[in-house]
Amino acid sequence: MAIKAVKGTRDILAPEIRNWTEYEERARKLFRRYGFEEIRTPIFEYTEVFSRGIGEDTDIVHKEMYTFADRKGRSITLRPENTASVVRSYIEHRMDLQARVKRLFYIGPMFRYERPQKGRYRQFYQTGAEVFGSSSPLVDADTIEMVVRLLRELGLTGLRVDINSVGCKECRPDYRAALQGYLSGHREALCEDCRRRMETNPLRVLDCKVQGCRTVVADAPSIQDHLCGGCRSHQEQVFHFLDMLGVSYRLSTGLVRGLDYYTRTVFEVISEGLGAQNAILGGGRYDNLVKELGGPDVPAFGWALGMDRLMMVLGDRKLYDEEATFYVLPVGNELTYAVETAAALKNGGYHAVVLAEAVSLKSGLKQVNRAGGRFVLLAGESEKEKEILILRDMKNSTQREIFARNLQKEIKNEIAK
Ligand code: HAM
């Protein structure tokens, strides 16, 4: 039996892939405008990077990591996200000494053993941005505005920015206790996972998708009522800068995110048209993670966008300009003229392919049809003798002779038609 791609993974093929590459090019350009540099970390890391970074009692670490022992028995994990890896790299290369504020972005695959469904894969792709070295609320707002601009420039509408604060070391314990007190009064109504979470990490319960838990959570105490002065004023300033930058948002008091490293600001961008997996991106501030992973005491902020979901939202919309390919058909055994013609086209910046396999005019045209091509240049021996080419437009089933020396000009006119 033929081998298929592993469940939850897929091949991204043309024409869809063109939207991916065009998007990536635009994203890279935009990020540089905001002072970000690209970083490429390895696809796998020592498991510790993620278990310590993301938190032992998160779904990701608990049940979704691709972890295996390498040949020397070391525990290795395929990255389920990239923030922890980037922090590992930041610490390893002492980036804190390179710049007061370091702005990094990445584009690449992540791996989570989740139940595949629409918009959810086991290998998926993220674009992410991380800023190290500033606790200013302007960084939160500016980095959110950057991705909102990216989505806007791609023509996306129907997006919603949900934002909340998860407090800090000062105020979260107080909230945690209040939440735990409330949840213990509703223990019976919680799912099995949440009964455990209630003890180890009660904020995780706010994130549970099980209906019974959601009902309990609806009346739970809000973290907004427990924020300390510092967190409250940080949030107010983030809102102020978002207003200034023209980003609309909604305070979503139940938003806590599925990873443990966040402090203060957390946010998600929701796309109305996505169904259950409607978060197109998420992120927030993580002021303690660098230190927790053994580095200096450096605050940070970042987000990651799910590219598979972004592509779903884009649907059939094309980000790229369709550029015509010219199929050069040798007619007969003489390849030289066709090769020269294709080279001239490529020199002019056009896309050209020689149909070296075509045994006849008919088989050549069939190949072009199957590829969805439009323009064919017949370049056989008799054309060579007359220094002409026959330019055929498959769409209109018309053809005409052109002088080889006028090739570039003729092609330009043809495309403009
Ligand atoms: P996350 O919310 O786990 O955050 O993932 C960010 C985005 O990745 C999600 O909003 C979603 O669009 C996409 N995503 C996640 N899992 C899947 C999946 N199985 N299939 C398809 N798309 C998926 C993070 O990863 C954090 N590192 C974000 C961050 C960066 N926080 C601070 N800096």
Side-chain angles (χ1 to χ4, degrees), residues 81 83 112 114 119 121 126 130 257 261-262 279-280 302 304 306:
E81 61 108 49
T83 307
R112 294 183 195 175
E114 291 191 88
Y121 300 93
Q126 282 186 345
E130 315 287 353
R257 312 255 314 120
Y261 46 62
Y262 294 111
I280 194 164

Side-chain angles (χ1 to χ4, degrees), residues 22-30 150 153-154 319:
E22 175 66 25
Y23 156 76
E24 288 169 20
E25 280 168 27
R26 291 200 207 171
R28 286 192 166 91
K29 276 192 194 141
L30 179 83
L150 175 66
E153 287 187 1
L154 294 172
L319 297 178

Side-chain angles (χ1 to χ4, degrees), residues 60 80-83 106 112 114 119-122 124-126 129-130 257 259 261-262 268 279-284 286 301-309:
I60 295 179
E81 61 108 49
N82 210 23
T83 307
Y106 49 84
R112 294 183 195 175
E114 291 191 88
R120 198 204 270 159
Y121 300 93
R122 290 184 172 168
F124 61 98
Y125 296 80
Q126 282 186 345
E130 315 287 353
R257 312 255 314 120
L259 305 98
Y261 46 62
Y262 294 111
E268 278 180 356
I280 194 164
L281 72 108
Y286 49 99
F301 182 91
W303 51 255
L305 172 152
M307 291 161 62
D308 310 77
R309 294 187 192 170

Side-chain angles (χ1 to χ4, degrees), residues 326-345:
F326 290 87
Y327 292 88
V328 189
L329 189 55
V331 203
N333 294 328
E334 170 59 76
L335 275 178
T336 325
Y337 192 43
V339 172
E340 284 167 4
T341 304
L345 285 166

Side-chain angles (χ1 to χ4, degrees), residues 124-406:
F124 61 98
Y125 296 80
Q126 282 186 345
T127 303
E130 315 287 353
V131 183
F132 296 94
S134 172
S135 53
S136 168
L138 176 60
V139 163
D140 307 29
D142 196 45
T143 314
I144 294 174
E145 190 270 334
M146 176 170 81
V147 70
V148 168
R149 183 191 295 263
L150 175 66
L151 297 174
R152 216 182 271 151
E153 287 187 1
L154 294 172
L156 260 60
T157 52
L159 299 174
R160 197 180 77 216
V161 180
D162 282 353
I163 195 162
N164 193 21
S165 175
V166 290
C168 67
K169 274 191 193 136
E170 299 292 310
C171 52
R172 202 172 330 159
D174 173 40
Y175 174 63
R176 198 187 133 111
L179 183 62
Q180 222 159 19
Y182 169 82
L183 292 174
S184 56
H186 297 80
R187 199 169 190 283
E188 296 312 310
L190 296 175
C191 72
E192 207 177 307
D193 277 343
C194 282
R195 285 182 206 165
R196 176 178 49 80
R197 288 178 186 136
M198 196 181 85
E199 307 298 338
T200 53
N201 196 344
L203 267 77
R204 285 276 73 77
V205 178
L206 300 178
D207 219 24
C208 185
K209 303 281 183 279
V210 177
Q211 193 50 47
C213 302
R214 292 176 78 116
T215 312
V216 172
V217 159
D219 293 323
S222 161
I223 190 149
Q224 288 290 327
D225 298 328
H226 291 81
L227 295 179
C228 62
C231 288
R232 177 157 307 285
S233 121
H234 185 89
Q235 175 171 275
E236 277 161 14
Q237 291 193 61
V238 172
F239 290 172
H240 165 72
F241 287 122
L242 285 174
D243 290 336
M244 256 186 77
L245 294 167
V247 176
S248 46
Y249 53 86
R250 200 183 75 165
L251 176 66
S252 173
T253 56
L255 180 67
V256 285
R257 312 255 314 120
L259 305 98
D260 275 352
Y261 46 62
Y262 294 111
T263 51
R264 297 193 162 168
T265 314
V266 287
F267 80 104
E268 278 180 356
V269 177
I270 307 296
S271 172
E272 315 279 350
L274 268 180
Q277 305 301 314
N278 61 0
I280 194 164
L281 72 108
R285 181 161 277 289
Y286 49 99
D287 289 344
N288 305 324
L289 184 60
V290 180
K291 191 151 183 231
E292 274 162 17
L293 284 179
D297 193 0
V298 168
F301 182 91
W303 51 255
L305 172 152
M307 291 161 62
D308 310 77
R309 294 187 192 170
L310 170 66
M311 294 302 153
M312 274 174 58
V313 178
L314 281 172
D316 292 336
R317 244 172 305 164
K318 285 193 188 117
L319 297 178
Y320 54 91
D321 293 326
E322 196 78 70
E323 284 184 86
T325 296
F326 290 87
Y327 292 88
V328 189
L329 189 55
V331 203
N333 294 328
E334 170 59 76
L335 275 178
T336 325
Y337 192 43
V339 172
E340 284 167 4
T341 304
L345 285 166
K346 283 182 262 192
N347 288 342
Y350 298 105
H351 303 193
V353 173
V354 177
L355 296 176
E357 307 74 21
V359 290
S360 65
L361 176 65
K362 198 172 155 212
S363 80
L365 296 181
K366 205 167 146 195
Q367 271 188 54
V368 177
N369 257 330
R370 215 167 12 165
R374 179 167 174 193
F375 298 111
V376 181
L377 282 157
L378 304 182
E381 261 163 64
S382 61
E383 285 80 22
K384 181 176 182 159
E385 267 165 35
K386 290 192 262 175
E387 295 180 17
I388 60 157
L389 291 153
I390 297 173
L391 175 57
R392 192 180 167 93
D393 182 343
M394 306 283 281
K395 194 170 151 200
N396 309 327
S397 299
T398 53
Q399 63 179 43
R400 63 190 175 95
E401 289 183 359
I402 59 171
F403 284 114
R405 60 171 187 278
N406 292 342

